[in-house]
Amino acid sequence: MTRSTLARRLPPILLALAASALIAGCGTGSSHHTPAQENQKVDAANSSPYRGTALSSPFAKPDLLLTDTSGKPFDLREQTAGKSTLIFFGYTNCPDVCPTIMGDISVALFKQPAAVQENTRVVFITTDPARDTPDKLGSWLAAFGKNFTGLSGDLEQVKKAALSLGISVEDPQTHHDGTVTSSHGAQVAAFWPSDDKAHVIYTSGTTLDDFLHDLPLLANSTRS
């Protein structure tokens, strides 16, 4: 697909996000995000077809019951079972990394065949539940597409779930000027549809092209 064709087909907000990603990258220098943790389960053979970091020992999907953007209970394991699932922990007031990563995934997913789109779910779990109400999450995520699910709930449970994936989440901090920041890891955990385990991790340096390359592999993955 040419750039001009993409410009005609992409929704304006996603086109803007794609352009900003090419210019600014992921904004990893921002002080309110914790550095990506070094993962000790990386595939040492480096023979993975993925551009993300392949894990020799996959992570189990967290056992979480949260609230979706319609205010209904959402069982993470049950309601994403059998789908390629990308899980990210962040917050809607994030000025850089969160919208950039969500925008990159959205653009990459928009360009996939229908079969890949139908078998892929993106789950955004807020690290700032006091401000990220279901309505606010729903409004923010609507720009990225129907494959995006927003979840909120008890922060201690969310922190525990993130830690089980090697991702750090800290309590939101209120600053002297009234602003609130939420420190969190910028990793995306990718779960295979065949066994509902995270076999690949994407760090903050992942590009739009990387997601374009890997989404079909994730959607069509099988047990090794």
Side-chain angles (χ1 to χ4, degrees), residues 39-206:
N39 199 298
Q40 301 303 313
K41 302 169 81 174
V42 174
D43 183 0
N46 197 28
S47 59
S48 167
Y50 296 98
R51 292 187 181 178
T53 301
L55 306 177
S56 58
S57 299
F59 289 121
K61 187 175 290 181
D63 185 10
L64 271 179
L65 181 63
L66 299 173
T67 302
D68 67 16
T69 55
S70 65
K72 296 179 180 179
F74 190 98
D75 186 311
L76 182 63
R77 285 185 176 175
E78 179 180 320
Q79 293 181 247
T80 61
K83 298 287 185 181
S84 174
T85 304
L86 307 182
I87 294 179
F88 180 81
F89 297 84
Y91 66 119
T92 64
N93 285 292
C94 171
D96 42 38
V97 174
C98 299
T100 298
I101 292 177
M102 292 298 98
D104 283 349
I105 295 173
S106 181
V107 172
L109 190 56
F110 182 85
K111 297 177 69 176
Q112 300 300 326
V116 173
Q117 294 184 25
E118 292 168 3
N119 199 37
T120 303
R121 296 291 178 270
V122 184
V123 178
F124 183 94
I125 301 176
T126 182
T127 59
D128 186 12
R131 294 190 298 166
D132 282 344
T133 63
D135 283 346
K136 184 173 183 180
L137 272 175
S139 298
W140 190 77
L141 287 171
F144 301 111
K146 63 181 182 180
N147 297 74
F148 287 69
T149 297
L151 300 178
S152 59
D154 180 76
L155 185 57
E156 290 306 312
Q157 292 184 29
V158 168
K159 288 163 63 177
K160 183 178 179 180
L163 190 59
S164 75
L165 302 176
I167 301 171
S168 63
V169 171
E170 299 178 7
D171 293 335
Q173 299 294 315
T174 302
H175 304 283
H176 63 85
D177 61 356
T179 60
V180 179
T181 55
S182 175
S183 296
H184 60 86
Q187 303 98 309
V188 177
F191 294 79
W192 283 7
S194 57
D195 61 4
D196 289 321
K197 292 182 179 181
H199 290 262
V200 187
I201 294 291
Y202 297 91
T203 63
S204 59
T206 303

Side-chain angles (χ1 to χ4, degrees), residues 201-224:
I201 294 291
Y202 297 91
T203 63
S204 59
T206 303
T207 67
L208 172 59
D209 283 343
D210 292 335
F211 284 121
L212 278 168
H213 177 272
D214 281 10
L215 285 178
L217 298 178
L218 293 168
N220 296 295
S221 61
T222 58
R223 287 185 179 88
S224 49

